[in-house]
Amino acid sequence: MAIRTSILVSVLLMPFLAGAQSTDIRANPERMEQRIKTLGEFGTNPEGGVSRVAFSDADLAGRAYIMDLMREAGLSVRVDTAGNIIGRLEGREEGLPVIMFGSHIDSVPGGGNYDGDVGVIGAIEVVQLLKENGVSTRHPLEVVSFTDEEGGLTGSRAMVGKLSDSTLEVMSHSGMTIRDGIRNVGGDPNRLDLAERKPGELLAFIELHIEQGAFLDEENIDIGVVEGIVGIRWWDVTVEGFANHAGTTPMNKRWDAMVSAAELTLAINHVATTMPGRQVATVGRIRAEPGAPNVIPGEVVLSLEIRDLDAWKIQQVFERIQVEAKQIADVRFTPIRFSEIDVASPPAPTDQQMRRIISSAADELGMSFKLMPSGAGHDAQDMTHIAPTGMIFVPSVNGVSHSPKEFTSPEDMANGASVLLRTVLAIDDGALE
Ligand SMILES: [Zn+2]
């Protein structure tokens, strides 16, 4: 079945690739590795990773390096008003929409050398390979390095016109507000409208990124074709008990909020584990009141987070958790209340055709691939609002990420860039039309 599907896909794609030998070009693993290492020197931390938080001096130095690489690859470089670095290569035909690809180079504090970096270095590799092989495209190409991804997708949010004024006042890890940070990297927070791109301006957006999970590494699969970025909903769950003396209250006369909260935590795990699908549900924080060893907890507040690629599924998981909570509350005489926190981000599915094009590119390059969701947030989720968007994952060794121990092999990075190149050329040849 798998073989039949892949032959069918190849046949369907044939007309777009006919005569295009350029699609056999492969990325250079040594060059990518060397550039990842050089980029890693900006903001290097003693553990071997980087702390290159957005807007910091290390970020500025890393950005300067990226702009140099872009120029070397033949791109003309500008910084938009949101601080996004954009390198552009004109196409052969005028007036065509842009094919944009890229990622980010800022890190979390105590981060690694691959999250984001692989996507930016890989995007530059694509343009450099085109130049070295004398290949031009019909459409203009733009390589982007988004501002402050780790601080809340700042650059991509601005690009799709969704960066709010209140967000600009948020303090970033650099010690600057996002507003001042944007100014510090050469943007203009008062003219973010100029950074906006309208639907139709971009023919496509593609992001190459490390998986940050262990699926590809464990299954020994070369390429993850991302189906979308999962949606997230958060709740505060309050369990009401009755605070009383821990020494004088017999076990059968207690309304113990902690015991109910413990049962509920297990029930949440059970619901998410036993329903079919890839949903995840987590209790990540718990607070007991009054919080003393000698007092039966009168109130416990837990966090509940649910993620899935399907908003309906998240709701189903939540409703089943509510049913379980009701039973626990009734049996233990501890009412349980759910109040949703307003941080929900809806699922962001990638474009179906983009998934097909990326799958074909991997297949034709002889790489194994698999469709999968992204459990982590990415700039690509914003870009789905304005352009057909695709995402290419490469393996993270042991699934470690946001850590100095993050690692992706040079070969895997190059595989990702080769798939990105082939995807860009297929789109340029009309695969999306
Ligand atoms: Zn990232």
Side-chain angles (χ1 to χ4, degrees):
M1 199 53 197
I3 294 169
R4 238 168 81 199
T5 315
S6 83
I7 289 172
L8 182 67
V9 168
S10 304
V11 169
L12 284 173
L13 223 82
M14 208 83 89
F16 302 120
L17 302 176
Q21 253 95 48
S22 48
T23 50
D24 296 328
I25 303 166
R26 302 263 181 163
N28 181 335
E30 291 79 30
R31 178 163 62 194
M32 289 186 69
E33 167 77 346
Q34 184 260 315
R35 289 178 165 182
I36 286 285
K37 281 196 169 137
T38 306
L39 181 55
E41 286 165 17
F42 306 109
T44 189
N45 62 34
E47 295 80 25
V50 288
S51 293
R52 194 170 51 242
V53 298
F55 315 129
S56 63
D57 289 346
D59 187 32
L60 282 168
R63 290 167 59 94
Y65 173 63
I66 289 301
M67 288 191 262
D68 281 346
L69 290 182
M70 283 183 173
R71 288 188 199 100
E72 190 188 318
L75 294 160
S76 54
V77 180
R78 70 184 176 96
V79 173
D80 73 10
T81 54
N84 297 311
I85 302 170
I86 297 172
R88 183 176 167 106
L89 186 70
E90 294 304 331
R92 289 195 305 272
E93 292 175 31
E94 294 214 350
L96 292 184
V98 174
I99 302 173
M100 181 183 275
F101 42 104
S103 191
H104 64 96
I105 65 153
D106 65 302
S107 83
V108 293
N113 290 311
Y114 299 85
D115 176 358
D117 301 3
V118 169
V120 174
I121 297 293
I124 294 170
E125 177 75 11
V126 165
V127 177
Q128 186 132 7
L129 288 167
L130 293 176
K131 182 183 166 195
E132 287 167 358
N133 288 277
V135 180
S136 64
T137 54
R138 290 169 55 224
H139 299 81
L141 305 181
E142 290 190 9
V143 172
V144 62
S145 180
F146 288 110
T147 309
D148 186 31
E149 191 270 351
E150 300 291 1
L153 310 178
T154 302
S156 55
R157 207 136 278 190
M159 193 174 281
V160 302
K162 289 184 191 292
L163 187 62
S164 67
D165 257 1
S166 57
T167 306
L168 289 174
E169 303 314 323
V170 170
M171 191 60 71
S172 74
H173 284 298
S174 66
M176 274 173 245
T177 62
I178 290 177
R179 180 188 298 280
D180 290 341
I182 288 175
R183 213 174 271 127
N184 198 40
V185 296
D188 180 356
N190 297 323
R191 293 308 310 273
L192 289 177
D193 54 313
L194 297 176
E196 277 180 45
R197 309 298 285 264
K198 300 291 176 213
E201 247 183 88
L202 305 185
L203 178 61
F205 174 76
I206 313 133
E207 182 167 6
L208 166 64
H209 204 280
I210 59 168
E211 182 200 339
Q212 302 181 275
F215 178 76
L216 294 174
D217 187 38
E218 277 171 6
E219 303 287 317
N220 210 7
I221 293 168
D222 299 317
I223 296 290
V225 181
V226 179
E227 297 169 283
I229 291 96
V230 298
I232 306 175
R233 286 171 69 184
W234 281 11
W235 290 263
D236 268 342
V237 188
T238 306
V239 185
E240 231 179 276
F242 187 81
N244 208 342
H245 199 292
T248 60
T249 317
M251 294 309 285
N252 63 351
K253 295 243 160 57
R254 297 176 176 216
W255 299 338
D256 187 333
M258 181 63 92
V259 173
S260 297
E263 272 188 355
L264 180 61
T265 304
L266 289 173
I268 288 166
N269 186 271
H270 184 73
V271 166
T273 309
T274 51
M275 283 175 81
R278 288 176 292 197
Q279 67 284 335
V280 288
T282 306
V283 175
R285 188 182 57 210
I286 186 161
R287 194 188 70 232
E289 300 290 350
N294 54 359
V295 184
I296 299 162
E299 185 182 273
V300 170
V301 182
L302 353 149
S303 64
L304 167 62
E305 187 204 74
I306 308 176
R307 302 189 187 207
D308 193 76
L309 209 46
D310 183 346
W312 177 85
K313 188 62 174 291
I314 294 177
Q315 183 62 26
Q316 294 304 301
V317 174
F318 176 57
E319 283 173 14
R320 286 189 54 174
I321 289 170
Q322 279 182 303
V323 170
E324 298 287 329
K326 175 93 175 54
Q327 280 174 13
I328 295 165
D330 288 351
V331 169
R332 297 209 171 265
F333 302 104
T334 54
I336 299 177
R337 256 189 351 263
F338 293 83
S339 75
E340 186 156 7
I341 311 290
D342 186 25
V343 293
S345 70
T350 54
D351 182 79
Q352 291 246 18
Q353 277 187 295
M354 293 287 285
R355 291 179 213 160
R356 175 181 59 81
I357 296 166
I358 294 167
S359 301
S360 301
D363 193 33
E364 287 153 5
L365 288 164
M367 296 172 198
S368 53
F369 62 93
K370 192 116 191 180
L371 284 163
M372 60 184 298
S374 170
H378 296 289
D379 292 306
Q381 76 197 57
D382 286 333
M383 299 304 281
T384 60
H385 296 293
I386 59 164
T389 294
M391 259 196 108
I392 302 164
F393 272 174
V394 289
S396 297
V397 171
N398 295 325
V400 178
S401 185
H402 282 186
S403 151
K405 298 220 169 359
E406 207 171 68
F407 183 71
T408 295
S409 74
E411 292 69 32
D412 283 335
M413 286 194 275
N415 281 346
S418 298
V419 171
L420 176 61
L421 170 66
R422 206 175 173 98
T423 300
V424 168
L425 290 177
I427 293 167
D428 186 52
D429 277 345
L432 268 179
E433 284 148 25

